[in-house]
C-alpha cells in the first residue's frame, strides 16, 4: 500500500536589509567611469568648448546653467562628478583564490585598525631603542619643540574613512593615547613623517581674513570702508583719519538720526574699545531693518573698517570682544499649527 | 601529487626538528618555572616535576616530548599549506607574536576576541571564508585568567590546537599541549623562534619537493 507523504514548501522571505548597504562591483565602477568620460565630451560639445581641455569647474558651471535648481542643500542639486567621488570606497574581497587572506591580521575582524596600532607600537619601540643608544653613548637627548598649536589629531570619522572600517569610541581614544605617548618622547624627526599622517593643520582663524590696506583720498587723509549686517539692516561705513568724532548717517547727523542713547552707545563702542574716541570721522549709509538693527549693522561695519588702522594684536582683541562677529540671529518663521514661532495655541482640557 | 602529501607521513621526524631545541636551551630560557602552589590547576599535576619553596617546577622531559610532537604537527600542517593562527592575550608579547606571524607568512590574533569569529564566521567576514586549520596558543589564558574562548570554539569547529600550558591553565581541550612557562620574555622568544623556524622549514621543503617533481 502506498502512503501519500504531504510536504509543505516553506518560503523564506528575503530580508532586504540584512545584507547591508549596496556593494558596487569593480566592473560596475569601471563602466561608470567610462560613461562619465563620454558624457564629459558630449557636454563639452554641447557647450561649444574643446572636449580635451574641459575641467571639473567647467562641468559644474555647465550643469548649473543647463539644470538650474533653487534647492537649498547643495548636495540635492544635480551634479556630475567622477564616480570615485560619488560612490564611497569599499573594501574588496580580502582573500585570494586558495582561500588565504592577504592581511596577516585578517582574523581579528578589524585588520586596518589593529595593523595601524601594531605599526605605531613598533615606532614607539624603535624610539625607545634609539634613546637607549643615545644614553649608552652619553649624548644628551635631543629636545626639539614641534609646532603643537597648528595641528590637531584626525577625528574619529576621518580615521574611519581612512581605514574603511567602523571603530568604537574606546578604540579611537586608545589610538590617540598611543600617538600622544609617541609624541611626548624626545623622538624628533625620526617619526615625524609617520605622525603627520594622522594630523591635520588647523589654520588660525585670523589668517583666513585679509585685512585691507589704508586708502588715501584727494585731501591726503587716510580712510577705509567696511560693511555690516544685522537682522535685515545693511550698512556701509567709511572711517576717515584725523577727525573730530563727527558721525553722519545717510546724510543726517547721528543726534537727529538716532535720538535714543542706546543706539549711539552701540556706534561709539568700537572707538571706545580702541581708545580712539575723538580721532576718527565716519560717514555711513544704512537701509532696511529697525532702529536697533541699523545701529548694530553700523557698529559691525565701523569695526571692520577700523581693522586697517590698528595692529594685529588689537584686531585679535576686537575679535575676542565680539566686535567683528556677524550676529546670526534672525526672526524665526511662524509654523503652521502654532500661533507664533514657539507659542502654541491655548490648550483646552475639554 | 598523492606521493607529495603521503611521503612525509611515513617518517617519524621528516623535518628533523629535534636539532632545533635541547633540554639545556629550555632550561636556560626558564621554561621549567611555573606559578606558585596555590595557582596550580588540578589537570596539570601529571606534568609537574615538583615544588620548591612553593613554586612549581615543570618536568622538562615531558615538555621535550610534547614539544617534539607539537612542532612536528605544525610542520606537517605548514607543509600542506594550512592556515595557522597565533593567539596570545599577553599584552607584553603581543607585538612579538604579531611580528613572528608576519615573518612566517601566517596569521595572528593578539587582541580582544569577538564572540563569533570562528563559529559565526560567514556573517562576520562574508560568505566563502576559509577558517584557520591550526591555532597556536602562546598563552592559553586571557586577561581575566580564564581559559581563552578560542580553545572551546576550535573544539566546536573541529580545528586542532597547539598550546603552551602553564601550571594555572586547563590542558583538557588542547590537542597538543606543551607544558611550559608562558610569562618570561626569554621563554616566549624561544617559542616564537621555534615555531618560526619550523614553519619556514616546512614551507621551504614543500617548495623544494614541488620543484623536484616538476623537473622530472
Amino acid at each position: 500500500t502506498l502512503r501519500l507523504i504531504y510536504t509543505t514548501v516553506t518560503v523564506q522571505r528575503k530580508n532586504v536589509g540584512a545584507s547591508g548597504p549596496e556593494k558596487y562591483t569593480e566592473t560596475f565602477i569601471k563602466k561608470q567611469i567610462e560613461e562619465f568620460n563620454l558624457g564629459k565630451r558630449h557636454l563639452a560639445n554641447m557647450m561649444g568648448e574643446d572636449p580635451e581641455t574641459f575641467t571639473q569647474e567647467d562641468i559644474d558651471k555647465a550643469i548649473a546653467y543647463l539644470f538650474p535648481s533653487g534647492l537649498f542643500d547643495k548636495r540635492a542639486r544635480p551634479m556630475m562628478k567622477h564616480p570615485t567621488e560619488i560612490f564611497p570606497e569599499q573594501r574588496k574581497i580580502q582573500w585570494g583564490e586558495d582561500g588565504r587572506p592577504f592581511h596577516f591580521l585578517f582574523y581579528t575582524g578589524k585588520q586596518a585598525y589593529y595593523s595601524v596600532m601594531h605599526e605605531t607600537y613598533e615606532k614607539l619601540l624603535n624610539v625607545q631603542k634609539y634613546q637607549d643608544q643615545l644614553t649608552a653613548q652619553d649624548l644628551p637627548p635631543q629636545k626639539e619643540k614641534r609646532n603643537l598649536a597648528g595641528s590637531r589629531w584626525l577625528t574619529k570619522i576621518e580615521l574611519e574613512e581612512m581605514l574603511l572600517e567602523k571603530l568604537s569610541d574606546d578604540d579611537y581614544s586608545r589610538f590617540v593615547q598611543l600617538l600622544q605617548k609617541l609624541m611626548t618622547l624626545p623622538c624628533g624627526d625620526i617619526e615625524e613623517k609617520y605622525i603627520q599622517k594622522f594630523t591635520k593643520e588647523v589654520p588660525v582663524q585670523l589668517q583666513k581674513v585679509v585685512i585691507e590696506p589704508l586708502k588715501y583720498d584727494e585731501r591726503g587723509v587716510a580712510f577705509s570702508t567696511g560693511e555690516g549686517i544685522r537682522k535685515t539692516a545693511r550698512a556701509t561705513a567709511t572711517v576717515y583719519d584725523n577727525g573730530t568724532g563727527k558721525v553722519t548717517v545717510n546724510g543726517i547727523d547721528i543726534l537727529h538720526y538716532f535720538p535714543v542713547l542706546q543706539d549711539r552707545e552701540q556706534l561709539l563702542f568700537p572707538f571706545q574699545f580702541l581708545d580712539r574716541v575723538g580721532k576718527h570721522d565716519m560717514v555711513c549709509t544704512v537701509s532696511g531693518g529697525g532702529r536697533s538693527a541699523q545701529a548694530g549693522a553700523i557698529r559691525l561695519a565701523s569695526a571692520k573698517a577700523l581693522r586697517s588702522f590698528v595692529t594685529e594684536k588689537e584686531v585679535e582683541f576686537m575679535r575676542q570682544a565680539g566686535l567683528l562677529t556677524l550676529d546670526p540671529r534672525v526672526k524665526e518663521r511662524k509654523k503652521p499649527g502654532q500661533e507664533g514661532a514657539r507659542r502654541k495655541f491655548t490648550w483646552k482640557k475639554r | 601529487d598523492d606521493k607529495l602529501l603521503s611521503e612525509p607521513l611515513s617518517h617519524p621526524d621528516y623535518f628533523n626538528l629535534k636539532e632545533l631545541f635541547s633540554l639545556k636551551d629550555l632550561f636556560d630560557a626558564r621554561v621549567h618555572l611555573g606559578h606558585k602552589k596555590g595557582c596550580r590547576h588540578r589537570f596539570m599535576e601529571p606534568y609537574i616535576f615538583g615544588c620548591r619553596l612553593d613554586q612549581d617546577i615543570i618536568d622538562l622531559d615531558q615538555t621535550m616530548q610534547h614539544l617534539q610532537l607539537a612542532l612536528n604537527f605544525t610542520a606537517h600542517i605548514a607543509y600542506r599549506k594550512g592556515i595557522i593562527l597565533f593567539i596570545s592575550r599577553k599584552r607584553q608579547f603581543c607585538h612579538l607574536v604579531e611580528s613572528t606571524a608576519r615573518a612566517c607568512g601566517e596569521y595572528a590574533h593578539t587582541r580582544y576576541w569577538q564572540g563569533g569569529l570562528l563559529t559565526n564566521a560567514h556573517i562576520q567576514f562574508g560568505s566563502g571564508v576559509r577558517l584557520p586549520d591550526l591555532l597556536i596558543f602562546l598563552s592559553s589564558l586571557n586577561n581575566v585568567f580564564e581559559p581563552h574562548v578560542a580553545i572551546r570554539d576550535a573544539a566546536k569547529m573541529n580545528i586542532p590546537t597547539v598550546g603552551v600550558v602553564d601550571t594555572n591553565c586547563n590542558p583538557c581541550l588542547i590537542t597538543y599541549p606543551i607544558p611550559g612557562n608562558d610569562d618570561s620574555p626569554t621563554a616566549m622568544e624561544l617559542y616564537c623562534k621555534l615555531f618560526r623556524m619550523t614553519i619556514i622549514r616546512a614551507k621551504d621543503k614543500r617548495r623544494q619537493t614541488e620543484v623536484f617533481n616538476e623537473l622530472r
Side-chain angles (χ1 to χ4, degrees):
Chain A
T1 49
L2 289 168
R3 256 203 312 184
L4 278 171
I5 306 168
Y6 290 97
T7 50
T8 47
V9 177
T10 46
V11 177
Q12 278 200 335
R13 300 262 154 142
K14 245 204 270 186
N15 191 352
V16 183
S19 54
E22 218 183 284
K23 299 203 173 125
Y24 306 110
T25 46
E26 273 201 55
T27 41
F28 173 77
I29 302 250
K30 274 188 196 158
K31 219 175 78 173
Q32 293 292 311
I33 294 178
E34 279 166 24
E35 281 181 17
F36 172 77
N37 286 327
L38 270 180
K40 200 164 89 166
R41 295 182 76 89
H42 277 303
L43 189 64
N45 259 335
M46 270 196 270
M47 302 299 285
E49 307 265 355
D50 180 20
E52 303 296 326
T53 55
F54 206 56
T55 57
Q56 186 60 44
E57 286 173 6
D58 296 327
I59 296 178
D60 293 331
K61 281 187 210 162
I63 296 285
Y65 170 73
L66 291 169
F67 302 101
S69 137
L71 296 172
F72 291 133
D73 197 352
K74 303 284 177 187
R75 290 172 293 182
R77 297 187 178 184
M79 65 165 131
M80 182 165 159
K81 290 203 177 133
H82 195 78
T84 41
E85 289 172 40
I86 298 183
F87 297 109
E89 263 186 62
Q90 279 175 346
R91 298 232 306 257
K92 302 150 206 163
I93 295 192
Q94 309 281 330
W95 53 87
E97 271 179 13
D98 57 348
R100 300 199 111 207
F102 296 130
H103 196 87
F104 77 107
L105 289 174
F106 169 76
Y107 286 105
T108 54
K110 306 177 208 168
Q111 62 175 46
Y113 169 69
Y114 285 132
S115 80
V116 153
M117 292 286 273
H118 178 79
E119 272 173 34
T120 324
Y121 192 70
E122 207 174 303
K123 302 285 177 199
L124 198 83
L125 289 178
N126 278 348
V127 161
Q128 282 172 349
K129 223 168 54 171
Y130 183 68
Q131 258 187 298
D132 291 336
Q133 278 176 0
L134 284 184
T135 43
Q137 293 165 12
D138 288 326
L139 286 168
Q142 300 161 327
K143 278 191 183 166
E144 288 157 27
K145 281 196 178 166
R146 231 166 290 109
N147 185 16
L148 297 162
S151 54
R152 64 167 171 88
W153 299 119
L154 288 181
T155 55
K156 187 175 154 216
I157 301 168
E158 284 166 3
L159 195 63
E160 279 185 358
E161 270 174 53
M162 200 169 104
L163 302 175
L164 293 176
E165 252 175 20
K166 290 258 156 72
L167 294 177
S168 75
D169 291 326
D170 244 350
D171 294 336
Y172 174 68
S173 55
R174 281 212 168 198
F175 179 58
V176 169
Q177 277 168 11
L178 233 193
L179 281 175
Q180 276 167 349
K181 189 171 172 186
L182 183 59
M183 214 165 75
T184 45
L185 294 175
C187 55
D189 296 312
I190 321 167
E191 312 307 336
E192 195 72 42
K193 278 182 204 166
Y194 184 73
I195 299 179
Q196 265 170 18
K197 274 193 236 171
F198 301 106
T199 49
K200 243 194 178 179
E201 291 290 318
V202 172
V204 182
Q205 280 295 323
L206 221 63
Q207 286 163 3
K208 280 190 204 162
V209 180
V210 177
I211 306 173
E212 283 167 9
L214 290 171
K215 288 169 258 181
Y216 292 88
D217 70 356
E218 311 107 11
R219 285 176 294 155
V221 178
F223 74 95
S224 85
T225 45
E227 285 172 359
I229 296 179
R230 176 81 216 273
K231 277 194 189 171
T232 339
R234 307 277 179 267
T236 43
T238 9
V239 177
Y240 294 90
D241 210 355
N242 300 342
T244 46
K246 223 170 58 167
V247 182
T248 313
V249 184
N250 282 353
I252 307 169
D253 192 36
I254 55 165
L255 274 175
H256 297 290
Y257 198 85
F258 290 121
V260 183
L261 177 67
Q262 179 195 326
D263 304 335
R264 286 185 300 232
E265 270 184 358
Q266 289 284 299
L267 293 208
L268 185 66
F269 181 33
F271 300 98
Q272 187 194 10
F273 186 79
L274 297 166
D275 291 325
R276 289 164 179 246
V277 178
K279 296 178 193 166
H280 292 284
D281 261 346
M282 192 156 72
V283 176
C284 6
T285 47
V286 68
S287 64
R291 175 203 86 197
S292 202
Q294 285 185 343
I298 302 175
R299 179 183 114 171
L300 182 62
S302 59
K304 281 193 183 171
L306 278 171
R307 275 184 314 194
S308 334
F309 287 92
V310 152
T311 56
E312 271 192 28
K313 258 195 181 175
E314 299 212 309
V315 175
E316 182 63 25
F317 288 148
M318 278 218 286
R319 186 186 75 87
Q320 285 183 359
L323 276 168
L324 300 175
T325 327
L326 184 74
D327 201 338
R329 298 177 289 177
V330 201
K331 189 159 179 168
E332 201 175 307
R333 77 162 261 209
K334 178 200 172 309
K335 284 109 191 170
Q338 292 174 349
E339 202 173 300
R342 298 286 171 105
R343 160 128 173 103
K344 323 281 188 274
F345 291 124
T346 320
W347 177 68
K348 293 230 166 77
K349 201 163 183 177
R350 40 191 78 83
Chain B
D1 209 25
D2 273 338
K3 215 180 152 197
L4 197 96
L5 294 175
S6 58
E7 217 217 294
L9 296 175
S10 45
H11 304 250
D13 196 7
Y14 187 65
F15 302 97
N16 198 8
L17 301 162
K18 315 192 273 285
E19 61 181 22
L20 288 176
F21 59 94
S22 67
L23 212 130
K24 189 165 186 317
D25 290 336
L26 294 184
F27 186 82
D28 288 331
R30 307 180 221 187
V31 163
H32 58 288
L33 300 172
H35 290 277
K36 292 280 189 180
K37 193 164 73 176
C39 295
R40 195 193 300 171
H41 194 94
R42 198 184 139 153
F43 296 138
M44 288 299 288
E45 278 159 19
Y47 302 119
I48 291 173
F49 184 71
C51 187
R52 179 175 170 86
L53 295 171
D54 260 10
Q55 187 179 12
D56 288 332
I57 308 291
I58 300 167
D59 189 359
L60 282 182
D61 294 320
Q62 292 188 47
T63 306
M64 291 276 283
Q65 294 164 12
H66 283 94
L67 194 57
Q68 171 66 39
L69 292 170
L71 287 179
N72 194 30
F73 186 67
T74 52
H76 281 271
I77 296 262
Y79 183 86
R80 285 155 178 264
K81 296 198 180 163
I83 296 181
I84 302 182
L85 185 62
F86 285 86
I87 300 180
S88 161
R89 205 56 182 99
K90 286 248 150 91
R91 223 181 115 100
Q92 277 173 300
F93 310 117
C94 138
H95 187 84
L96 175 67
V97 169
E98 286 183 341
S99 5
T100 359
R102 201 169 14 176
C104 300
E106 299 294 340
Y107 308 88
H109 182 107
T110 56
R111 311 283 177 167
Y112 178 73
W113 180 272
Q114 280 169 325
L117 277 188
L118 289 182
T119 41
N120 206 12
H122 288 285
I123 297 175
Q124 295 235 340
F125 295 117
S127 53
V129 212
R130 188 175 145 187
L131 287 179
D133 301 307
L134 174 66
L135 302 192
I136 303 187
F137 287 88
L138 286 151
S139 118
S140 80
L141 298 179
N142 59 16
N143 285 351
V144 213
F145 298 109
E146 278 170 2
H148 203 288
V149 177
I151 306 177
R152 194 199 65 194
D153 280 352
K156 282 190 190 175
M157 303 297 287
N158 286 344
I159 300 173
T161 34
V162 162
V164 173
V165 278
D166 204 354
T167 42
N168 54 357
C169 309
N170 187 352
C172 286
L173 284 175
I174 304 173
T175 32
Y176 288 91
I178 305 172
N181 191 6
D182 61 1
D183 299 299
S184 316
T186 41
M188 289 301 269
E189 277 168 15
L190 179 77
Y191 296 135
C192 286
K193 191 185 84 170
L194 289 173
F195 281 119
R196 192 174 62 234
M197 285 165 84
T198 41
I199 293 173
I200 291 175
R201 241 188 222 198
K203 287 186 174 173
D204 286 338
K205 197 95 189 217
R206 170 71 185 233
R207 247 176 279 146
Q208 275 174 16
T209 39
E210 278 184 337
V211 164
F212 279 154
N213 285 358
E214 265 179 53
L215 283 175
R216 272 194 219 146

